[in-house]
Amino acid sequence: MSIAAPTAPTAPIETTATPAGARTDGLTRRLGLWFAHAYVLGMCATIGGAYVFQFGLWEYPCPMCLLQRMFMLLSAIGPAMIIARSRRGPVTTGEFASGWGVAIVSALVGGTVSGAQVLMHIAPGDPGYAGALFGLHLYTWAAITFFLAALAAGVNLVLADQAGPLDAAAGSPALRRAATLTPAVLAFFAVSNFVACFFLQGFHWQMPGDPTGYQFFTDLF
């Protein structure tokens, strides 16, 4: 009589499903990177609104107005650094914190400039400088923008462990395209603002406090 050999136990079939926690974590980090794009484009849109007043309504910005634009650009450079780094691979927590730290410091200094200009025109009867939007002058809107920007950047630092972005290549095709487009938009506004400043000031060391035209063309013609 033959004895049947014992049957070896069947190995469990491994599944390749991604845990729900990992999927949630990946989504959170992609949102963190998308927020960096939104921050940069939001600052650019704010400067674009100032361009409407300058080139559409012929209201020339004063030196303090131009200084506020520069701090908006500097604040946007912080998240732009994160975006640029994400194109080369995963962004570390330190790099993430440094980028948003630059955004906060620049926003605080820019907000100080805006607040100083608000106080310059706070006296009763003072009409303020240039035009207004919904009853508020552009430097008041700039102060509000800087406050909200510093708040948003601070929240990102608090959530650094959860919102620290993946690299753009591993995120999605849309993130890969945006990682090229967003820095290009920021570069356009940086260059155009520099050109606008040059034409306003011309070859003079100092720009008038209340410009009435483009000094470069005034000297040329």
Side-chain angles (χ1 to χ4, degrees):
M1 181 179 64
S2 61
I3 301 176
T7 304
T10 304
I13 300 175
E14 296 183 0
T15 60
T16 58
T18 304
R23 291 196 300 270
T24 303
D25 182 68
L27 175 61
T28 302
R29 293 179 183 276
R30 285 195 295 274
L31 289 176
L33 189 51
W34 276 121
F35 186 83
H37 287 275
Y39 187 99
V40 174
L41 295 177
M43 284 297 187
C44 292
T46 304
I47 297 174
Y51 282 177
V52 172
F53 278 77
Q54 180 178 350
F55 301 112
L57 303 177
W58 297 101
E59 295 187 357
Y60 305 102
C62 68
M64 292 188 73
C65 297
L66 293 174
L67 192 59
Q68 291 164 60
R69 293 187 193 178
M70 293 176 184
F71 280 112
M72 287 181 184
L73 292 170
L74 286 174
S75 185
I77 285 176
M81 291 164 50
I82 298 173
I83 295 169
R85 178 62 182 84
S86 72
R87 295 173 59 184
R88 303 193 304 271
V91 180
T92 66
T93 302
E95 292 166 338
F96 184 82
S98 296
W100 286 113
V102 170
I104 291 176
V105 173
S106 301
L108 290 177
V109 178
T112 302
V113 177
S114 298
Q117 192 169 10
V118 170
L119 293 177
M120 288 172 58
H121 300 285
I122 202 171
D126 191 318
Y129 181 79
L133 179 66
F134 300 118
L136 299 177
H137 290 277
L138 294 188
Y139 44 82
T140 305
W141 283 113
I144 296 172
T145 299
F146 282 125
F147 171 78
L148 294 177
L151 179 63
V155 170
N156 269 272
L157 282 180
V158 172
L159 302 175
D161 286 339
Q162 292 78 27
L166 298 168
D167 57 298
S172 66
L175 275 174
R176 290 194 292 272
R177 291 191 293 270
T180 301
L181 178 61
T182 299
V185 173
L186 178 59
F188 166 78
F189 277 94
V191 172
S192 61
N193 190 63
F194 173 80
V195 172
C197 290
F198 171 75
F199 285 134
L200 279 166
Q201 186 170 342
F203 292 100
H204 299 268
W205 287 107
Q206 187 174 2
M207 194 179 83
D210 186 6
T212 57
Y214 293 98
Q215 192 65 41
F216 175 82
F217 296 110
T218 301
D219 295 339
L220 188 63
F221 301 107

